Amino acid sequence: MGNSTYSYQHYLLRSISTQFQLPDTPTIAQQPGIQSVFRVTCHYPGGDFPDSVATVVSSQVGQPTLTVHRNGSESNGENMLDRQAFEALTATLSTVKFDKLADQPDIPSTRANLWLIERAAGSFIKGVLLSPELATDDYQSLVFRLHELLPAAVEPLRQ
């Protein structure tokens, strides 16, 4: 995943997609006709907001799709994602040099909101762990653009 070690935070976030019985990003990316996969897994400790997994899939035909799963509710289904939003997302990943970005340093071990952002294409996969409220520099730019481009993916909903 681009990280030499995984913290318990990585395992926690990966367990969320397992709870929803979702395939991992490499499995999706290696399916015929899939160009790329982008996933944001969000964990909000304390129980005020449900954990969520949002997956954007771009295929060789048709528009990209966005599917969001949240604890305590059904999936909102698969929705078409505006091509311009998808291209802006791709440009943002390039601007912040996502493929070379390490996990955000100094994330508290408890009580921090956590996001695991993953990108996969073919056999390539990259993941970055961050805390949106504590993000600075490129991490903050990424958080801001995700709120702007994919609000359904990252904005918490009250339970």
Side-chain angles (χ1 to χ4, degrees):
M1 188 64 49
N3 306 309
S4 58
T5 60
Y6 290 127
S7 66
Y8 87 92
Q9 295 150 316
H10 285 96
Y11 291 109
L12 170 70
L13 288 158
R14 293 205 186 291
S15 74
I16 295 169
S17 59
T18 301
Q19 290 171 13
F20 293 123
Q21 299 178 341
L22 300 175
D24 62 13
T25 51
T27 299
I28 299 168
Q30 292 174 4
Q31 292 177 4
I34 300 299
Q35 290 181 318
S36 65
V37 178
F38 178 80
R39 176 173 280 171
V40 182
T41 303
C42 302
H43 171 66
Y44 301 101
D48 290 336
F49 305 107
D51 293 340
S52 63
V53 178
T55 308
V56 174
V57 177
S58 173
S59 62
Q60 293 173 347
V61 296
Q63 283 185 267
T65 59
L66 169 65
T67 306
V68 181
H69 294 82
R70 295 186 197 291
N71 279 345
S73 66
E74 293 184 27
S75 164
N76 70 353
E78 186 175 273
N79 298 300
M80 294 300 166
L81 183 64
D82 178 79
R83 177 62 66 180
Q84 287 179 309
F86 179 76
E87 289 172 2
L89 174 62
T90 301
T92 296
L93 295 177
S94 178
T95 300
V96 301
K97 298 176 179 66
F98 181 81
D99 293 347
K100 295 182 188 280
L101 204 59
D103 288 345
Q104 178 184 334
D106 303 323
I107 296 175
S109 58
T110 60
R111 295 191 296 250
N113 292 341
L114 299 172
W115 291 0
L116 178 62
I117 302 169
E118 299 173 275
R119 185 179 85 77
S123 62
F124 175 83
I125 182 163
K126 170 67 178 173
V128 174
L129 179 72
L130 61 83
S131 179
E133 288 77 20
L134 303 173
T136 59
D137 304 321
D138 286 337
Y139 304 100
Q140 186 176 40
S141 297
L142 187 56
V143 167
F144 175 78
R145 289 296 282 165
L146 287 174
H147 275 289
E148 184 178 51
L149 298 170
L150 297 175
V154 297
E155 291 181 2
L157 300 176
R158 286 227 177 257
Q159 295 204 78

